[in-house]
């Protein structure tokens, strides 16, 4: 209705600005202007809702069908900053080790205590100078950004900046070894936590770490922290002189075990050859702990013989960690190149029994020797300086595949077929009321 003082097009505005004697053309022009004003001012809430829908479209795309019902995929990917898949795979794996991850997420945020910013919670940025970088803080922020479901991918550039500052080996954008990065990361987190963090006294941090494992005695480079409390184990290294029989025992702390893939499983077979026995994780563990005669380049200095002699070596596990990290040695040096061992190694998803590798298994409860898989890092490609890293990890009973920014649900069968590079096993908790043997 274009009548004076009547509502037009069922809107809530009255056309009081129209003049009765306007020409038809002028009236049409005024109607157009009036409708434009309505669009710009009368429906801001509608436009706001439309904008919110667009903003949330990426989140809505993360809704999946699981068991016939719709569920939100809360996992967050990590953006690749330029061949940083090695870092992303390790971060995603560590983020799914619940006890380790929760410790860092519950740490207080960094506070700058100077004048204007006193008492305000702020974070390290590149503009604050090199003296303010904190690996623990950036690691904490990265873990907090994952599993919130508020974004499809998080950019860990602040963490990568700190890595560049304190780990010169990882500067640049060339491909790096994921296992080497993990060891550097854990070692530097351990050292920084020992020195105190974010105004929290060193004694408080050490007390919190000791609460994680009152019986933990594995200390690497000083006092225990959450790193050694979760990943720390102890090896007993026995060396026997083959000449006089003198035995030497040494206890070595470890954060992970590097396992050789036995040589009999390394040969690639053609289609016409019969398939040989499949290599298993137990084969690798057995190779690591079996009695070994040291070669000429590793002669043992016998204190009784007063000279280097032929000897044998054997490892026992004196103390198992809460999280058992197993690194399969897939890269080895030949005369000129560093080649990859592409052998598939079968590994259990549940119930990895470590009792037969213990020094004193009779003193350990049966549940304390069983481990369940929580994460797997996989290297795709033929060489350490190339290829791509991804990770599989279990979260709240579901398995996810983390491929940089992309996160997808997967199943146990797919995980079990992966050519694992690093395996993370979590100690199975004893059932309440169960008696320890």
């Amino acid at each position: 209705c274009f009548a004076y003082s009547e509502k037009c097009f069922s809107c809530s505005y009255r056309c009081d600005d129209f003049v009765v004697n306007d020409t038809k053309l002028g009236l049409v022009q005024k109607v157009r202007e009036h409708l434009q004003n309505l669009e710009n001012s009368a429906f801001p809430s509608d436009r706001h809702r439309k904008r919110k829908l667009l903003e949330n479209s990426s989140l809505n795309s993360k809704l999946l069908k699981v068991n016939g019902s719709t569920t939100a995929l809360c996992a967050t990917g990590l953006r690749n900053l330029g061949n940083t898949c090695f870092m992303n795979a390790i971060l995603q794996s560590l983020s799914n080790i619940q006890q380790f991850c929760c410790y860092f997420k519950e740490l207080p945020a960094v506070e700058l205590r100077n004048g204007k910013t006193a008492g305000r919670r702020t974070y390290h940025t590149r503009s604050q100078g090199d003296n303010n970088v904190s690996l623990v803080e950036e690691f904490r922020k990265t873990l907090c950004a994952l599993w919130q479901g508020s974004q499809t991918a998080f950019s860990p550039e602040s963490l990568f900046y700190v890595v560049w500052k304190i780990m010169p080996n990882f500067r640049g954008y060339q491909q790096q070894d994921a296992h080497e990065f993990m060891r550097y990361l854990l070692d530097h987190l351990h050292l920084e936590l020992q020195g105190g963090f974010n105004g929290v006294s060193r004694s408080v941090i050490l007390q919190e770490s000791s609460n994680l494992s009152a019986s933990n005695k594995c200390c690497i480079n000083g006092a225990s922290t959450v790193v050694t409390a979760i990943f720390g184990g102890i090896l007993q290294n026995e060396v026997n002189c083959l000449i006089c029989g003198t035995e030497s025992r040494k206890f070595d702390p470890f954060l992970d075990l590097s396992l050789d893939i036995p040589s009999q499983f390394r040969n690639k077979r053609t289609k016409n050859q019969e398939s040989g026995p499949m290599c298993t994780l137990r084969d690798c563990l057995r190779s690591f702990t079996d009695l070994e005669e040291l070669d000429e380049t590793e002669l043992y200095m016998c204190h009784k013989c007063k000279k280097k002699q032929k000897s044998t070596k054997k490892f026992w596990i004196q103390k198992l960690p809460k999280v058992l990290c197993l690194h399969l040695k897939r890269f080895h040096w030949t005369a000129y190149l560093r080649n990859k061992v592409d052998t598939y190694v079968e590994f259990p998803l549940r119930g990895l029994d470590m009792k037969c590798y213990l020094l004193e298994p009779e003193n350990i409860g049966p549940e304390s020797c069983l481990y369940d898989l929580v994460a797997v890092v996989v290297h795709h490609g033929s060489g350490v300086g190339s290829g791509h890293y991804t990770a599989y990890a279990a979260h709240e009973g579901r398995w996810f595949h983390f491929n940089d920014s992309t996160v997808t649900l997967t199943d146990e069968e797919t995980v079990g077929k992966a050519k694992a590079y690093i395996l993370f096993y979590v100690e199975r908790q004893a059932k309440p009321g169960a008696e320890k043997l």
Side-chain angles (χ1 to χ4, degrees), residues 370-406:
L370 295 179
Y371 286 80
D372 298 322
L373 189 68
V374 69
V376 185
V377 173
V378 181
H379 178 268
H380 311 268
S382 58
V384 65
S386 60
H388 183 58
Y389 286 99
T390 66
Y392 293 96
H395 185 82
E396 296 181 353
R398 294 186 294 171
W399 280 95
F400 295 84
H401 184 213
F402 298 91
N403 184 1
D404 288 335
S405 299
T406 304

Side-chain angles (χ1 to χ4, degrees), residues 81-84 126 160 164 170-175:
L81 307 177
N83 281 328
T84 57
R126 300 187 184 191
F160 196 41
W164 277 27
F170 297 95
R171 290 176 183 171
Y173 295 97
Q174 66 272 23
Q175 181 65 280

Side-chain angles (χ1 to χ4, degrees), residues 59-163:
L59 182 60
N60 292 337
S61 65
K62 298 171 73 176
L63 296 178
L64 298 177
K65 289 284 185 178
V66 178
N67 296 329
S69 60
T70 302
T71 183
L73 177 62
C74 298
T76 299
L78 288 169
R79 292 191 178 92
N80 193 315
L81 307 177
N83 281 328
T84 57
C85 55
F86 68 93
M87 178 178 73
N88 293 346
I90 294 298
L91 293 176
Q92 293 288 11
S93 298
L94 296 178
S95 76
N96 285 283
I97 299 174
Q98 186 175 8
Q99 198 172 16
F100 183 72
C101 179
C102 288
Y103 175 88
F104 286 94
K105 289 169 67 174
E106 292 172 1
L107 285 176
V110 167
E111 294 179 2
L112 298 180
R113 303 183 181 280
N114 56 16
K116 297 179 181 180
T117 59
R120 289 172 52 194
R121 180 171 290 186
T122 55
Y123 300 98
H124 288 312
T125 64
R126 300 187 184 191
S127 62
Q128 292 174 2
D130 297 343
N131 295 330
N132 286 333
V133 297
S134 166
L135 181 64
V136 172
E137 167 64 0
E138 296 303 335
F139 184 67
R140 183 197 69 81
K141 285 165 51 179
T142 301
L143 294 181
C144 288
L146 303 177
W147 294 107
Q148 290 184 344
S150 57
Q151 53 187 333
T152 56
F154 173 76
S155 179
E157 58 181 4
S158 296
L159 174 61
F160 196 41
Y161 169 73
V162 175
V163 168

Side-chain angles (χ1 to χ4, degrees), residues 86-91 93-94 97 100 135 139 163 167 170 176-190 227 231 254-258 323-328 375-377 389 421-424:
F86 68 93
M87 178 178 73
N88 293 346
I90 294 298
L91 293 176
S93 298
L94 296 178
I97 299 174
F100 183 72
L135 181 64
F139 184 67
V163 168
M167 304 180 198
F170 297 95
Q176 302 281 358
D177 182 74
H179 174 251
E180 185 180 1
F181 172 75
M182 182 196 73
R183 285 306 312 267
Y184 270 88
L185 177 66
L186 292 179
D187 287 345
H188 280 82
L189 288 173
H190 172 67
V227 175
F231 291 95
F254 68 87
L255 294 180
D256 69 314
L257 298 178
S258 291
V323 175
L324 178 64
C325 179
L326 301 176
H327 161 235
L328 300 180
V376 185
V377 173
Y389 286 99
Y421 181 48
I422 306 173
L423 296 155
F424 296 88

Side-chain angles (χ1 to χ4, degrees), residues 174-401:
Q174 66 272 23
Q175 181 65 280
Q176 302 281 358
D177 182 74
H179 174 251
E180 185 180 1
F181 172 75
M182 182 196 73
R183 285 306 312 267
Y184 270 88
L185 177 66
L186 292 179
D187 287 345
H188 280 82
L189 288 173
H190 172 67
L191 291 174
E192 189 171 317
L193 286 170
Q194 282 183 313
F197 166 70
N198 185 28
V200 181
S201 69
R202 181 175 180 272
S203 60
V204 172
I205 288 179
L206 295 180
Q207 179 62 37
E208 290 181 0
S209 296
S210 64
N211 291 338
L212 291 170
S213 176
S215 62
N216 179 67
K217 297 180 181 178
C218 176
C219 300
I220 299 173
N221 297 327
S224 175
T225 67
V226 65
V227 175
T228 53
I230 297 294
F231 291 95
I234 300 176
L235 283 175
Q236 177 177 290
N237 185 358
E238 294 181 355
V239 179
N240 286 274
C241 176
L242 291 177
I243 306 301
C244 68
T246 299
E247 182 181 90
S248 173
R249 293 182 180 180
K250 180 182 178 183
F251 292 95
D252 297 317
F254 68 87
L255 294 180
D256 69 314
L257 298 178
S258 291
L259 311 178
D260 280 308
I261 297 175
S263 57
Q264 65 265 31
F265 299 108
R266 295 185 187 180
N267 295 330
K268 294 184 178 180
R269 298 180 178 273
T270 64
K271 294 181 179 179
N272 297 328
Q273 289 178 308
E274 294 182 3
S275 59
M278 179 181 294
C279 182
T280 67
L281 186 59
R282 183 172 292 276
D283 292 320
C284 299
L285 286 165
R286 189 181 298 114
S287 175
F288 179 78
T289 56
D290 275 351
L291 187 68
E292 173 189 3
E293 183 173 342
L294 300 177
D295 59 31
E296 296 292 333
T297 62
E298 299 177 296
L299 293 178
Y300 164 65
M301 181 65 188
C302 179
H303 298 290
K304 187 175 181 180
C305 298
K306 305 298 182 181
K307 63 179 181 179
K308 291 184 176 182
Q309 301 283 27
K310 288 187 175 182
S311 57
T312 60
K313 178 182 69 174
K314 180 174 175 59
F315 284 120
W316 292 97
I317 298 178
Q318 197 269 342
K319 175 187 175 296
L320 284 166
K322 291 184 176 295
V323 175
L324 178 64
C325 179
L326 301 176
H327 161 235
L328 300 180
K329 295 181 180 178
R330 291 199 173 273
F331 302 105
H332 67 99
W333 287 101
T334 59
Y336 303 101
L337 300 172
R338 194 179 187 189
N339 292 332
K340 180 181 177 181
V341 179
D342 204 37
T343 304
Y344 169 73
V345 177
E346 184 181 37
F347 54 89
L349 271 66
R350 298 182 187 84
L352 173 63
D353 192 349
M354 296 294 294
K355 191 169 186 175
C356 60
Y357 311 109
L358 287 174
L359 180 64
E360 298 175 340
E362 65 276 3
N363 298 329
I364 304 296
E367 289 292 328
S368 300
C369 303
L370 295 179
Y371 286 80
D372 298 322
L373 189 68
V374 69
V376 185
V377 173
V378 181
H379 178 268
H380 311 268
S382 58
V384 65
S386 60
H388 183 58
Y389 286 99
T390 66
Y392 293 96
H395 185 82
E396 296 181 353
R398 294 186 294 171
W399 280 95
F400 295 84
H401 184 213

